[in-house]
Amino acid sequence: MNALRVVRLLTWALVVVLAGVTGYIVWQGRQAGPQDVVGSGEAAVGGPFTLVDTNGRTITEKDLAGKPYAIFFGFTHCPDVCPTTLAELSVLMGEMGADAEKLNVVFVTVDPERDTPESLKSYLSSFSDKVIGLSGTEDQVADVVAKYRVYRRKVPTEGGDYTMDHTAAVFLMGADGRFRGTISYGEAQADALAKLQRLVAG
Ligand code: NI
């Protein structure tokens, strides 16, 4: 077999393999597509949860149903991201005027060890009385954090204290409890406002 013939054979072999791989990927894509939409009926972000509000009442996703909501995860000892986000959301709710009533804003602690319903209540009172603060047992918080695909990590600090690393995005959920998008930390106010207005418009 001369060298040219070997090259031709190898080229054809490669073409056949690539065609097979491409066909398989396309087929997989077609298989996965409709199943993802119809399948479980659960969105990738969000889902059922059980938590406790700042008045000690049990709150589940059913209590939020029927109204869109902006939900984010943080902790009261947070030095910058959480207070900034809460302050910005308060401003945005002011900008929305009467439409703010069509929206729930929810703050879920990632640090239930320190953020009891009582401490959440006093913390949130410096921002807006419209923010629903939610805490719970470690298991309840771990469950909702996993369902929203939130990252959280306890980081020890000097003197035996600790801080929490956590996802900074605000999750936008429809009245049906389905994920609609996010507002990133530091996103321009006009863009964030437009997203909230779209959310309440349905
Ligand atoms: Ni924070």
Side-chain angles (χ1 to χ4, degrees), residues 74-75 78 81-82 166:
F75 66 117
C78 183
V81 171
C82 294
H166 66 91

Side-chain angles (χ1 to χ4, degrees), residues 8-200:
R8 271 196 200 131
L9 276 172
L10 284 175
T11 306
W12 275 111
L14 189 64
V15 166
V16 169
V17 168
L18 280 177
V21 168
T22 307
Y24 180 73
I25 288 168
V26 169
W27 179 78
Q28 280 280 299
R30 285 191 185 142
Q31 292 294 307
Q35 281 173 359
D36 280 351
V37 178
V38 181
S40 65
E42 294 283 70
V45 172
F49 63 80
T50 302
L51 293 166
V52 178
D53 74 5
T54 53
N55 294 313
R57 285 178 307 205
T58 297
I59 298 288
T60 74
E61 79 291 347
K62 292 191 182 79
D63 295 297
L64 298 177
K67 208 171 179 179
Y69 57 99
I71 184 169
F72 79 109
F73 297 78
F75 66 117
T76 64
H77 290 66
C78 183
D80 43 28
V81 171
C82 294
T84 303
T85 303
L86 282 165
E88 284 176 355
L89 283 171
S90 301
V91 169
L92 288 167
M93 282 190 283
E95 301 254 313
M96 289 176 79
D99 275 350
E101 299 300 327
K102 301 175 188 166
L103 178 77
N104 276 320
V105 176
V106 185
F107 177 80
V108 182
T109 183
V110 294
D111 184 17
E113 189 180 328
R114 291 184 296 199
D115 292 345
T116 60
E118 298 75 33
S119 60
L120 260 187
K121 187 176 198 163
S122 80
Y123 177 73
L124 291 173
S125 67
S126 20
F127 297 97
S128 164
D129 55 1
K130 287 185 178 141
V131 177
I132 299 169
L134 298 178
S135 184
T137 64
E138 170 54 32
D139 283 351
Q140 288 172 331
V141 169
D143 180 59
V144 70
V145 157
K147 283 180 176 149
Y148 280 81
R149 317 242 166 161
V150 163
Y151 165 81
R152 69 162 175 162
R153 192 168 69 96
K154 198 172 185 172
V155 183
T157 54
E158 273 179 51
D161 218 350
Y162 66 91
T163 187
M164 302 290 293
D165 278 354
H166 66 91
T167 299
V170 176
F171 299 90
L172 305 177
M173 311 298 289
D176 54 3
R178 282 179 170 262
F179 175 71
R180 294 289 157 79
T182 58
I183 294 174
S184 312
Y185 181 63
E187 187 158 336
Q189 194 182 317
D191 295 341
L193 181 61
K195 285 181 178 179
L196 290 179
Q197 285 166 333
R198 267 203 303 279
L199 186 67
V200 298

